[in-house]
Amino acid sequence: MCGQNVIRSVVAEQLARHYFGRSLYVASAGVRPGENDPFVAAVLDEIGLGVGKHRPHTLEDLEDLNFDLIVTLAPEAHHAALDLTDRYPVDVEYWPTMDPTLAAGGSREQTLEAYRAMRDTLDTRIRDRFRYAGKARV
């Protein structure tokens, strides 16, 4: 879960689906609505993944689903997820993850580098947290 479900949470969702398939139910959401980000598609495509038919979801879109764990990637998402723990028995973990739109430079390549760094950080974190022992990435 992140701010708008257009960058960090989308990348995390696609990486987790790639590594764990159906053995782990994964869905992503944001605190606010947003629009798909083309740089996300580009950095996922570089490693053989894609966004598929992803449409940004808000937390309310997923609120009726039962989750054991919510991983938050941004402060506002973390606060929103903690508010849910008053109503639902769910664990919340905060993984502070840089927003690549804030770290990106002026050129396309600098922007892609910021997105790649975010993708690679999430890749390592997901594999470590859920003990993925298989081959790294595609």
Side-chain angles (χ1 to χ4, degrees), residues 90-102:
V90 61
D91 291 329
V92 177
E93 290 183 14
Y94 179 43
W95 298 358
T97 305
M98 121 178 122
D99 178 349
T101 64
L102 301 177

Side-chain angles (χ1 to χ4, degrees), residues 37-110:
D37 184 307
F39 286 103
V40 168
V43 298
L44 286 173
D45 185 58
E46 289 177 348
I47 61 169
L49 301 178
V51 295
K53 296 179 182 180
H54 175 78
R55 292 182 349 265
H57 297 283
T58 63
L59 185 57
E60 290 77 34
D61 295 333
L62 302 178
E63 200 166 311
D64 291 337
L65 299 176
N66 292 317
F67 290 96
D68 297 320
L69 174 66
I70 297 175
V71 174
T72 60
L73 307 172
E76 68 180 315
H78 188 67
H79 294 295
L82 289 176
D83 287 343
L84 277 181
T85 62
D86 292 339
R87 298 179 303 223
Y88 298 99
V90 61
D91 291 329
V92 177
E93 290 183 14
Y94 179 43
W95 298 358
T97 305
M98 121 178 122
D99 178 349
T101 64
L102 301 177
S107 75
R108 175 176 167 71
E109 189 56 34
Q110 289 170 320

Side-chain angles (χ1 to χ4, degrees), residues 8-29:
R8 294 168 283 187
S9 57
V10 177
V11 171
E13 177 183 8
Q14 296 309 319
L15 288 167
R17 286 177 188 248
H18 168 69
Y19 288 128
F20 301 101
R22 295 178 187 228
S23 66
L24 186 70
Y25 178 74
V26 178
S28 63

